[in-house]
């Protein structure tokens, strides 16, 4: 008994000492909530589908943010950009209305943001439009690496210092310096100076000096270089490598979840559309030294959208105006309820396997329509375009503006450029890297998850095959142009959107020529005009390309069993990795177990 009492006494003393050390070490607790890439999704609504979403939107974010603020009043709210672009509301209505308040900025003001970093999509309409819209913010807009011609920060601020519970917190904002790659030539874009992000952050930290206890960097870029692999000017990792004293690093732009810790730096990034919030918690001692930190990415699934946000008069007006605009055919005032045109049938086939889009494994009417319109408008020999969304389709019957947005969501213009046969085939090989290599026994074609859907282009004007039995770089076979094999020294004209021209053909060094023509209207407007002139439009498929080098065992009953289990929801879709017949027994056991647990 004496030994037990002695042990309990020792445990109590240890607990007392540890508790007091803990209390001393963590005298202050500050929470930082980071959002990014909200892309104009205020309500939590898909205007092209005319339906509520279930897991995103700024209204849901606000519900979560208010809960955190109630838990910890010492909370800071920051954003890493790409907010005023991305929906029909923003792109087709409010970004072109110079005298009206902008609903996204109005919402962010209401939400109580402490700072926002520029994203590359803030530049899509030129410098004056960006400054006009962002100038409505009640919070600082940060642009540490984008300078006006006179050397001042584009938005007036490269960083801001906030004091919370006696802690001085510096927030430095930097955007990918690749903006001119995408938007060069637009009003004012080329007049700005775009510094390497790591250099701009270093300059800001030196300027801040001892005026801050905590350093936060809000970077609109991914962890790793997008274009500048040699120097890392567009790499958040390079920012951290050159500035190891950063306490919080917020990343964005790539629309992927990032949650990690390098040394004492917590790093977090979210998906797009208000799908997630990054929560950073800092624990400080009495001297304002950070002694611990954590990061968590919080999914908005299950979070109820805030009726406060949806009740903001401008937000409600904008939401209703956008729905009217879509249903009204996209006219200036969005009124009238007149369809843009009509179709005679759907443009996409049903998926054989749940989650494996037929529109990316075969030629379809959606892509042939877009490429035909691009060929007609440009007069080019060959056209390239992407299926931006796996589910993009045109329904049978009347077509409204939402349907057009569904098959072409970006406000791209069209370029024409001369390419050699060798360059075109190199571009086609680059595009075909999105597929995984097929191996014997695979029952489906699958996709490399490192290659986003929008990077896969399909080509019209040439006939070709994609041999998925071959590794990346060796897949494009039997390219024919005008009934003859395409020779490497042949010269053709290519129609391609402005984004792909800059970010792939030029940035990847695939094409040496320069554009010799640019459309005066967007590709989306071209599609609208096509329906106005040609309705009813019948779906057509040229079947000018196909996948070869695969045997999907379509006559094997085991394949049918696996597909049945996938389509019933008992197996996950084999999108990033094919299911193979050699795993049949294990797959069936997994499906049976999942079926039993669901009953």
């Amino acid at each position: 008994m004496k030994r037990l009492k002695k042990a309990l006494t020792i445990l109590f003393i240890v607990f007392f000492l540890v508790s007091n050390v803990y209390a001393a070490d963590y005298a202050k607790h500050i929470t930082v909530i980071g959002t990014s890439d909200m892309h104009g999704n205020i309500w939590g609504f898909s205007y092209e589908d005319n339906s509520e979403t279930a897991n995103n939107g700024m209204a849901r974010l606000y519900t979560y943010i208010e809960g955190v603020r109630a838990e910890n009043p010492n909370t800071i709210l920051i954003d890493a950009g790409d907010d005023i672009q991305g929906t029909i509301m923003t792109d087709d209505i409010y970004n072109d209305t110079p005298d009206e308040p902008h609903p996204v900025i109005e919402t962010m003001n209401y939400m109580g943001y402490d700072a926002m970093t520029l994203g590359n999509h803030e530049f899509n309409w030129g410098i004056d439009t960006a400054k006009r819209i962002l100038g409505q913010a009640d919070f600082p807009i940060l642009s540490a690496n984008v300078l006006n011609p006179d050397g001042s920060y584009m938005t007036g601020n490269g960083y801001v210092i906030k004091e919370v519970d006696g802690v001085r917190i510096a927030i430095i904002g930097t955007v990918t310096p690749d903006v001119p790659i995408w938007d060069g030539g637009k009003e004012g874009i080329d007049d700005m100076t775009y510094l390497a992000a790591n250099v701009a952050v270093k300059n800001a930290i030196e300027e801040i000096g001892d005026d801050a206890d905590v350093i936060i960097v809000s970077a609109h870029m991914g962890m790793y270089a997008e274009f500048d692999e040699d120097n890392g000017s567009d790499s958040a990792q390079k920012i951290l490598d050159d500035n190891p004293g950063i306490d919080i690093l917020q990343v964005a732009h790539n629309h992927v979840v990032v949650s990690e810790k390098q040394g004492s730096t917590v790093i977090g990034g979210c998906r797009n559309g208000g799908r997630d919030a990054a929560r950073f918690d800092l624990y400080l001692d009495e001297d304002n030294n950070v002694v611990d930190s954590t990061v968590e990415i919080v999914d908005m699934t299950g979070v109820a959208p805030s009726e406060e946000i949806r009740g903001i008069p401008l937000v409600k007006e904008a939401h209703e105006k956008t729905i009217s605009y879509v249903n009204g055919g996209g006219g200036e005032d969005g009124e009238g309820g007149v369809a843009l045109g009509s179709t005679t049938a759907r443009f996409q086939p049903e998926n054989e396997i749940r989650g494996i889009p037929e529109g990316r494994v075969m030629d379809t009417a959606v892509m042939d329509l877009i490429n035909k319109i691009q060929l007609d408008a440009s007069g080019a020999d060959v056209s390239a375009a992407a299926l931006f969304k796996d589910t993009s389709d045109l329904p049978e019957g009347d077509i409204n503006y939402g349907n057009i947005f569904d098959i072409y969501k970006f406000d791209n213009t069209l370029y024409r450029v001369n390419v050699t046969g060798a360059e075109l085939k190199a571009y086609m090989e680059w595009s075909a890297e999105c597929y995984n290599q097929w191996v014997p026994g695979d029952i489906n074609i699958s996709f490399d998850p490192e290659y986003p859907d929008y990077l896969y282009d399909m080509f019209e004007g040439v006939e070709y095959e994609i041999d998925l039995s071959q590794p990346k770089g060796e897949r494009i076979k039997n390219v024919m142009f005008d009934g003859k094999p395409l020779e490497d020294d042949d010269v053709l004209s290519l129609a391609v959107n402005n984004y792909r021209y800059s970010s792939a053909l030029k940035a990847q060094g695939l094409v040496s020529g320069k554009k010799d023509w640019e459309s005066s209207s967007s590709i989306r407007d071209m599609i609208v005009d096509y329906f106005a002139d040609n309705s009813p439009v019948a779906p057509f498929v040229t079947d000018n390309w196909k996948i070869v080098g695969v045997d999907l065992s379509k006559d094997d009953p085991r394949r049918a069993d696996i597909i049945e289990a996938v389509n019933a929801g008992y197996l996950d879709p084999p999108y990033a990795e094919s299911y193979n017949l050699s795993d049949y027994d294990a797959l069936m056991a997994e499906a049976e177990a999942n079926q039993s647990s669901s009953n």
Side-chain angles (χ1 to χ4, degrees), residues 443-488:
I443 68 158
N444 65 282
I445 295 163
S446 61
F447 308 93
D448 187 334
E450 296 299 316
Y451 288 76
D453 300 346
Y454 58 80
L455 291 184
Y456 175 54
D457 285 345
M458 287 162 265
F459 299 82
E460 189 66 45
V462 289
E463 298 176 0
Y464 62 102
E465 297 174 345
I466 306 173
D467 187 346
L468 292 188
S469 69
Q470 300 301 307
K472 294 178 181 181
E474 301 176 20
R475 293 173 170 174
I476 299 300
K477 309 292 184 184
N478 299 322
V479 183
M480 304 287 290
F481 173 69
D482 200 20
K484 301 175 183 177
L486 181 65
E487 302 295 340
D488 286 352

Side-chain angles (χ1 to χ4, degrees), residues 459-576:
F459 299 82
E460 189 66 45
V462 289
E463 298 176 0
Y464 62 102
E465 297 174 345
I466 306 173
D467 187 346
L468 292 188
S469 69
Q470 300 301 307
K472 294 178 181 181
E474 301 176 20
R475 293 173 170 174
I476 299 300
K477 309 292 184 184
N478 299 322
V479 183
M480 304 287 290
F481 173 69
D482 200 20
K484 301 175 183 177
L486 181 65
E487 302 295 340
D488 286 352
D489 58 357
D490 287 343
V491 177
L492 307 87
S493 56
L494 169 70
V496 64
N497 73 57
N498 62 305
Y499 178 89
R500 185 70 83 242
Y501 174 86
S502 300
S503 64
L505 301 191
K506 288 302 182 182
Q508 304 293 330
L510 297 172
V511 170
S512 60
K514 294 182 179 181
K515 65 175 181 178
D516 59 24
W517 174 85
E518 178 180 359
S519 65
S520 59
S521 61
S522 72
I523 296 169
R524 196 161 64 217
D525 286 343
M526 294 177 192
I527 300 172
V528 170
D529 291 342
Y530 184 86
F531 272 92
D533 295 339
N534 296 281
S535 289
V537 177
F540 60 91
V541 182
T542 63
D543 288 322
N544 68 300
W545 69 272
K546 62 182 177 180
I547 290 173
V548 299
V550 302
D551 178 3
L552 301 181
S553 303
K554 291 194 174 184
D555 294 329
D556 193 311
R558 295 175 298 171
R559 181 180 190 269
D561 291 343
I562 296 171
I563 292 175
E564 182 180 357
V566 172
N567 291 342
Y570 302 134
L571 289 174
D572 292 332
Y575 186 89

